[in-house]
Structure formats: structure tokens, C-alpha cells
Amino acid sequence: MIPAIAVLKAVAEKKYAGELSFSFEPDPALLDIPYVTFGSPVRAELAYEIFEDNSVEVRGTLTFTLRGLCSRCLAEAEREIRSEAEGVFVAGKPEDDEYVYRGGTVELSEFLRDSVMFALPQRLLCGTCEEE
Ligand SMILES: [Zn+2]
């Protein structure tokens, strides 16, 4: 379950920062490595900060597992991926790389999708091939 950030409510309560910790199922369509699938949900540990102009900065780490066959030797392989994620959400007109939010609430789905895509390696290697 992906939580949302109720920005206007948080501002009204003067809670300008917070942390979010949750897991979600990544879209299998994001993964384009032959014989490899997500081996776990994505674990997200995020912190957010709300600024005076109501823009919201979200940053943290995403952790998940890839499982399948080594892209080089086809042996069974599994690897934990850990990646930094960072995004800025604005209520008005976004600049490059910014996300828009509406109705006073930041929805994280698109940001998480982009961040998972960014975190994905080009291939999965088994322990033996990785050492070579
Ligand atoms: Zn291998």
C-alpha cells in the first residue's frame, strides 16, 4: 500500500516533515532483463519535507530483490538492489524533473515507478560472474 502525503493538512498542523515506511509491489512490466523477475516487494524508507511554497521534497531509499537467471551464464542468481530516490512535488507549474500534485495531496505512485525504473540494472549477474 502506497501512502499519500496530505500536504495542506500537514501544513495546517505545522508538521512540515515526516517519514514514510512502506512496501509495495513493483510493476513487473518495468523489468526488461530476460529470465529475471522481482523477488520481493519494494521496501521504501522515505522522508519528506514541506517548504514555505508548499513544494514537497521526498527522499530516501528503495530496496528490493531481483531473482532469476544470470544474464551471462544462466545460473540461478539473486541480488538485492538498494537505490537512493529523490523527488520534488509542486502544486503549481512543474519545472524539469518535478512532479505535480493536486488537491493538496502528494501521490507517490509515479515517483516510485520512475525511481524503481532508475534503480534497475541492465542485467543480473550471479556471484561467480560478478567477481570476474
Ligand atoms: Zn553467471
Side-chain angles (χ1 to χ4, degrees):
M1 179 69 189
I2 298 174
I5 304 170
V7 179
L8 298 184
K9 187 167 175 286
V11 168
E13 293 169 354
K14 301 197 192 311
K15 291 176 185 161
Y16 300 109
E19 292 183 356
L20 300 170
S21 179
F22 58 95
S23 296
F24 63 96
E25 290 294 335
D27 181 356
L30 292 176
L31 193 50
D32 192 26
I33 310 173
Y35 313 119
V36 174
T37 57
F38 288 103
S40 72
V42 178
R43 180 90 202 140
E45 303 284 345
L46 303 175
Y48 64 87
E49 189 172 354
I50 303 169
F51 296 100
E52 258 176 58
D53 61 359
N54 281 354
S55 65
V56 183
E57 185 184 81
V58 179
R59 60 168 72 217
T61 48
L62 301 181
T63 311
F64 56 91
T65 304
L66 293 182
R67 185 179 293 160
L69 301 184
C70 173
S71 301
R72 187 191 282 173
C73 74
L74 297 183
E76 297 274 341
E78 185 172 321
R79 186 172 149 201
E80 188 182 76
I81 309 285
R82 199 180 151 81
S83 177
E84 302 294 314
E86 186 179 339
V88 174
F89 298 76
V90 297
K93 200 174 173 335
E95 298 197 13
D96 291 349
D97 298 338
E98 290 181 341
Y99 296 90
V100 181
Y101 71 92
R102 298 186 195 289
T105 301
V106 166
E107 302 285 352
L108 295 167
S109 309
E110 188 189 353
F111 161 68
L112 293 171
R113 187 184 170 86
D114 290 349
S115 300
V116 169
M117 196 145 58
F118 180 74
L120 287 171
Q122 302 261 318
R123 55 187 189 166
L124 177 68
L125 293 180
C126 69
T128 311
C129 289
E130 198 135 76
E131 284 169 17
E132 284 176 10

